[in-house]
C-alpha cells in the first residue's frame, strides 16, 4: 500500500505535536491507550482501542485525516 504525500505530512505533523505537547500530558496516565491527532486543529482523541480514537476524530472532523499513535509505545500496533 502506498502512502500519499498528504498522508505523510499529516503523520509527520501529528508526531511533532505529540512530541512537543502531548507526550508529557498523556504519559504515563494514558499509557497503552490510543491517541488520534488531527494536526490542523491540534485536537486529539483518546480511546482504549485504535478504532475508538480514530472514530472520535472522524466524528468531529469527517473530512480531515488524523494520525493515531499508541501512548507510551514506539509502534502503534504490534504483530506476533
Amino acid at each position: 500500500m502506498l502512502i500519499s504525500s498528504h498522508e505523510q505530512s499529516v503523520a509527520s505533523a501529528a508526531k511533532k505535536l505529540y512530541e512537543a505537547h502531548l507526550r508529557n500530558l498523556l504519559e504515563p496516565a494514558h499509557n497503552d491507550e490510543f491517541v488520534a491527532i488531527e494536526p490542523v486543529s491540534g485536537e486529539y482523541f483518546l480511546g482504549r482501542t485504535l478504532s475508538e480514537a480514530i472514530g472520535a476524530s472522524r466524528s468531529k472532523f469527517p473530512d480531515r485525516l488524523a494520525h493515531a499513535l499508541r501512548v507510551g509505545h514506539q509502534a502503534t500496533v504490534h504483530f506476533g
Side-chain angles (χ1 to χ4, degrees):
M1 179 164 84
L2 294 175
I3 298 174
S4 73
S5 62
H6 177 64
E7 291 169 328
Q8 288 176 341
S9 67
V10 167
S12 178
K15 288 175 185 177
K16 286 178 184 175
L17 283 169
Y18 185 82
E19 291 301 325
H21 304 289
L22 298 176
R23 179 185 294 277
N24 291 334
L25 180 67
L26 300 177
E27 294 180 16
H30 295 282
N31 277 357
D32 300 325
E33 293 181 41
F34 293 89
V35 59
I37 304 166
E38 194 289 305
V40 174
S41 67
E43 289 191 51
Y44 65 94
F45 305 86
L46 288 168
R48 288 178 301 189
T49 66
L50 182 59
S51 295
E52 215 174 81
I54 291 291
S57 175
R58 289 220 159 198
S59 289
K60 181 145 187 191
F61 300 109
D63 297 329
R64 295 186 196 170
L65 290 177
H67 182 72
L69 303 164
R70 193 160 191 190
V71 179
H73 293 263
Q74 294 256 342
T76 302
V77 294
H78 302 276
F79 295 100

